[in-house]
Amino acid sequence: MQLGMVGLGRMGGNIVRRLMQAGHTGVVYDRDPEAVSGLVREGAMGGETLEDLVAKLEAPRTVWLMLPAGRVTEATVQQLAGLLEAGDTIIDGGNTFWQDDVRRARQLRSRALHYIDVGTSGGVWGLERGYCLMIGGEPEAVERLNPIFAALAPGQGDLPVTPGREGRDPRAEQGYIHAGPNGAGHFVKMIHNGIEYGLMQAYAEGFDILRNASSPALPPEHRFDFDVADIAEVWRRGSVITSWLLDLTATALSADEHLSTYSGYVEDSGEGRWTVEAAIDEAVPAEVLTAALYARFRSRQDHTFAEKILSAMRKGFGGHIEGKKPKGDGA
């Protein structure tokens, strides 16, 4: 299939590369001409403008946006709506607030355009590992693009299917799912990222306690000089807290046990806040996720080793650099 991609940042470019490796065709556009020319050299077709990109797509056209949530994505959606024709589809794969998806889908439906929101997790490793996709939209539009989603997803790999899943949607076992109508994909991704905050904070605080077990404030017989890199490594092997986040932590600590290149200034990209807001709207207690969000706020005033752990994980999975807002590519 043919797909147009607008936004060739940390994830957009690699999404196109993964699709081309699976035999699909990419037509790409970015405000940075070098990003476009780089993918053209790899086999994609380049567009000099949004108008040029649309002109090079065959009907029914599909344009995937991988842009910063907010005004940039909103303006691009509205511009594309004036360029596309009935039956065409706009996909937003960035970290957009789900209520914006509901509104956009309604607006575009009046023009006979389809809109699909895709929560996309995989970060800078997606080209190699694949992308976990959480999709919202009309069933017919999602089904037509199933070859695209299937090519991007990780596939089952070596992970066994959970017992008792007979009769359930097999796409979930491949790493992608149609979560529901418009907004559902980004809602699920929002909660995914909220949980991510909590998991990361738990690792960060645990390693901070380990590192400070040698504090001179403790009685000598209660002090331990732990090798936190070795602890991270042993926990990766057979413990109940193994995870990709722990793998990334172990890699960072192995390279520099003190994480001296990190300040511990930790940004939040929006989904954590939206998760807490959803919990408030639903009157659902979310103490851990809320505390994890507040810890990121505090990190910008007082940095600890725990925040350095958070920074190392964020750089590991998403290429996030301290002190810089993310560019719309959600992990």
Side-chain angles (χ1 to χ4, degrees):
M1 297 185 72
Q2 188 187 52
L3 179 79
M5 175 65 72
V6 178
L8 305 176
R10 287 190 299 259
M11 292 173 66
N14 279 346
I15 286 174
V16 175
R17 291 183 179 94
R18 187 170 174 89
L19 288 174
M20 291 194 299
Q21 289 176 0
H24 298 285
T25 303
V27 183
V28 301
Y29 169 72
D30 192 279
R31 289 183 299 179
D32 179 5
E34 288 299 316
V36 175
S37 60
L39 274 165
V40 168
R41 287 192 293 269
E42 297 179 41
M45 185 181 301
E48 295 183 1
T49 62
L50 280 181
E51 291 84 354
D52 187 32
L53 176 137
V54 169
K56 291 177 178 177
L57 291 170
E58 302 171 0
R61 303 166 188 82
T62 302
V63 181
W64 184 308
L65 308 184
M66 215 63 186
L67 298 168
R71 286 179 293 180
V72 174
T73 296
E74 184 69 30
T76 307
V77 168
Q78 298 307 324
Q79 185 177 354
L80 282 171
L83 298 172
L84 297 173
E85 300 176 349
D88 293 345
T89 301
I90 297 175
I91 298 174
D92 181 2
N95 284 325
T96 288
F97 184 44
W98 64 274
Q99 291 183 15
D100 289 335
D101 296 315
V102 175
R103 171 181 52 79
R104 290 175 189 158
R106 182 173 59 249
Q107 292 174 342
L108 295 176
R109 199 174 298 121
S110 67
R111 303 190 185 196
L113 296 172
H114 302 292
Y115 180 89
I116 298 175
D117 51 286
V118 180
T120 309
S121 181
V124 296
W125 296 90
L127 176 60
E128 175 185 343
R129 295 167 58 104
Y131 299 91
C132 177
L133 304 176
M134 296 142 270
I135 306 165
E138 300 167 339
E140 298 80 8
V142 173
E143 184 60 33
R144 184 180 74 82
L145 294 171
N146 188 70
I148 294 292
F149 301 135
L152 291 175
Q156 183 175 327
D158 297 329
L159 193 65
V161 176
T162 302
R165 281 197 53 82
E166 295 81 4
R168 292 183 176 273
D169 188 344
R171 291 175 293 186
E173 299 156 14
Q174 301 299 316
Y176 70 111
I177 189 172
H178 182 202
N182 289 116
H186 277 145
F187 191 100
V188 175
K189 179 58 163 51
M190 173 184 74
I191 303 305
H192 165 283
N193 283 28
I195 292 171
E196 177 185 293
Y197 279 36
L199 291 172
M200 292 173 67
Q201 188 65 29
Y203 283 125
E205 292 177 7
F207 280 103
D208 204 5
I209 295 169
L210 289 168
R211 184 175 182 271
N212 285 283
S214 60
S215 170
L218 298 170
E221 66 272 21
H222 292 173
R223 297 175 195 167
F224 299 99
D225 186 14
F226 290 120
D227 187 322
V228 291
D230 281 355
I231 291 172
E233 185 65 25
V234 76
W235 280 351
R236 293 180 60 219
R237 304 177 185 281
S239 84
V240 298
I241 61 168
T242 56
S243 73
W244 185 29
L245 290 172
L246 182 58
D247 293 344
L248 296 171
T249 302
T251 299
L253 290 172
S254 179
D256 175 9
E257 185 174 344
H258 300 289
L259 302 179
S260 55
T261 60
Y262 297 95
S263 71
Y265 185 106
V266 186
E267 289 284 5
D268 67 289
S269 54
E271 296 86 347
R273 302 186 190 206
W274 300 335
T275 298
V276 172
E277 290 171 1
I280 293 170
D281 290 342
E282 300 169 14
V284 173
E287 297 95 333
V288 171
L289 306 190
T290 303
L293 174 63
Y294 287 169
R296 296 196 176 195
F297 296 162
R298 182 191 52 72
S299 79
R300 297 161 207 171
Q301 302 173 12
D302 178 29
H303 314 318
T304 68
F305 187 72
E307 275 76 56
K308 292 185 177 184
I309 291 282
L310 291 177
S311 289
M313 282 188 276
R314 294 182 81 241
K315 183 178 180 182
F317 67 72
H320 301 290
I321 305 301
E322 289 181 337
K324 294 184 178 181
K325 289 289 185 182
K327 301 299 183 183
D329 291 332

PDB file of all heavy atoms in Angstrom, residues 65 73 103 106 139 282 322:
ATOM      1  N   LEU A  65       0.127  11.657  10.155  1.00  0.00           N
ATOM      2  CA  LEU A  65       0.814  12.781  10.775  1.00  0.00           C
ATOM      3  C   LEU A  65       1.587  12.300  11.997  1.00  0.00           C
ATOM      4  O   LEU A  65       1.049  11.602  12.850  1.00  0.00           O
ATOM      5  CB  LEU A  65      -0.176  13.863  11.212  1.00  0.00           C
ATOM      6  CG  LEU A  65      -1.178  14.376  10.174  1.00  0.00           C
ATOM      7  CD1 LEU A  65      -1.999  15.514  10.761  1.00  0.00           C
ATOM      8  CD2 LEU A  65      -0.469  14.830   8.913  1.00  0.00           C
ATOM      9  N   THR A  73      -0.238  20.125  14.837  1.00  0.00           N
ATOM     10  CA  THR A  73      -1.061  19.047  14.287  1.00  0.00           C
ATOM     11  C   THR A  73      -2.416  19.581  13.843  1.00  0.00           C
ATOM     12  O   THR A  73      -2.919  19.225  12.769  1.00  0.00           O
ATOM     13  CB  THR A  73      -1.248  17.935  15.326  1.00  0.00           C
ATOM     14  OG1 THR A  73       0.026  17.347  15.614  1.00  0.00           O
ATOM     15  CG2 THR A  73      -2.187  16.851  14.817  1.00  0.00           C
ATOM     16  N   ARG A 103     -13.418  15.534  18.170  1.00  0.00           N
ATOM     17  CA  ARG A 103     -13.863  16.745  17.462  1.00  0.00           C
ATOM     18  C   ARG A 103     -13.436  16.721  15.998  1.00  0.00           C
ATOM     19  O   ARG A 103     -14.242  17.004  15.099  1.00  0.00           O
ATOM     20  CB  ARG A 103     -13.290  17.971  18.168  1.00  0.00           C
ATOM     21  CG  ARG A 103     -13.505  19.278  17.416  1.00  0.00           C
ATOM     22  CD  ARG A 103     -12.890  20.463  18.167  1.00  0.00           C
ATOM     23  NE  ARG A 103     -11.494  20.252  18.519  1.00  0.00           N
ATOM     24  CZ  ARG A 103     -10.480  20.400  17.669  1.00  0.00           C
ATOM     25  NH1 ARG A 103     -10.710  20.745  16.397  1.00  0.00           N
ATOM     26  NH2 ARG A 103      -9.236  20.220  18.068  1.00  0.00           N
ATOM     27  N   ARG A 106     -15.414  14.283  13.807  1.00  0.00           N
ATOM     28  CA  ARG A 106     -16.748  14.785  13.494  1.00  0.00           C
ATOM     29  C   ARG A 106     -16.686  15.827  12.383  1.00  0.00           C
ATOM     30  O   ARG A 106     -17.502  15.814  11.445  1.00  0.00           O
ATOM     31  CB  ARG A 106     -17.380  15.373  14.757  1.00  0.00           C
ATOM     32  CG  ARG A 106     -18.797  15.888  14.551  1.00  0.00           C
ATOM     33  CD  ARG A 106     -19.442  16.303  15.863  1.00  0.00           C
ATOM     34  NE  ARG A 106     -18.672  17.355  16.533  1.00  0.00           N
ATOM     35  CZ  ARG A 106     -17.993  17.193  17.668  1.00  0.00           C
ATOM     36  NH1 ARG A 106     -17.974  16.017  18.264  1.00  0.00           N
ATOM     37  NH2 ARG A 106     -17.332  18.204  18.201  1.00  0.00           N
ATOM     38  N   PRO A 139     -14.650   1.220  11.911  1.00  0.00           N
ATOM     39  CA  PRO A 139     -14.129  -0.114  11.580  1.00  0.00           C
ATOM     40  C   PRO A 139     -13.738  -0.284  10.122  1.00  0.00           C
ATOM     41  O   PRO A 139     -12.713  -0.902   9.822  1.00  0.00           O
ATOM     42  CB  PRO A 139     -15.296  -1.035  11.958  1.00  0.00           C
ATOM     43  CG  PRO A 139     -16.046  -0.288  13.009  1.00  0.00           C
ATOM     44  CD  PRO A 139     -15.933   1.154  12.628  1.00  0.00           C
ATOM     45  N   GLU A 282     -13.449  10.568  36.165  1.00  0.00           N
ATOM     46  CA  GLU A 282     -14.109   9.293  36.425  1.00  0.00           C
ATOM     47  C   GLU A 282     -14.170   8.945  37.907  1.00  0.00           C
ATOM     48  O   GLU A 282     -14.676   7.883  38.276  1.00  0.00           O
ATOM     49  CB  GLU A 282     -13.358   8.177  35.681  1.00  0.00           C
ATOM     50  CG  GLU A 282     -13.322   8.368  34.175  1.00  0.00           C
ATOM     51  CD  GLU A 282     -12.364   7.408  33.490  1.00  0.00           C
ATOM     52  OE1 GLU A 282     -11.938   6.427  34.133  1.00  0.00           O
ATOM     53  OE2 GLU A 282     -12.020   7.652  32.310  1.00  0.00           O
ATOM     54  N   GLU A 322      17.119  15.926  27.932  1.00  0.00           N
ATOM     55  CA  GLU A 322      16.702  16.702  29.092  1.00  0.00           C
ATOM     56  C   GLU A 322      16.457  18.156  28.735  1.00  0.00           C
ATOM     57  O   GLU A 322      17.200  18.759  27.973  1.00  0.00           O
ATOM     58  CB  GLU A 322      17.779  16.647  30.178  1.00  0.00           C
ATOM     59  CG  GLU A 322      17.897  15.312  30.856  1.00  0.00           C
ATOM     60  CD  GLU A 322      18.961  15.321  31.934  1.00  0.00           C
ATOM     61  OE1 GLU A 322      19.878  16.167  31.867  1.00  0.00           O
ATOM     62  OE2 GLU A 322      18.883  14.482  32.817  1.00  0.00           O
TER      63      GLU A 322
END
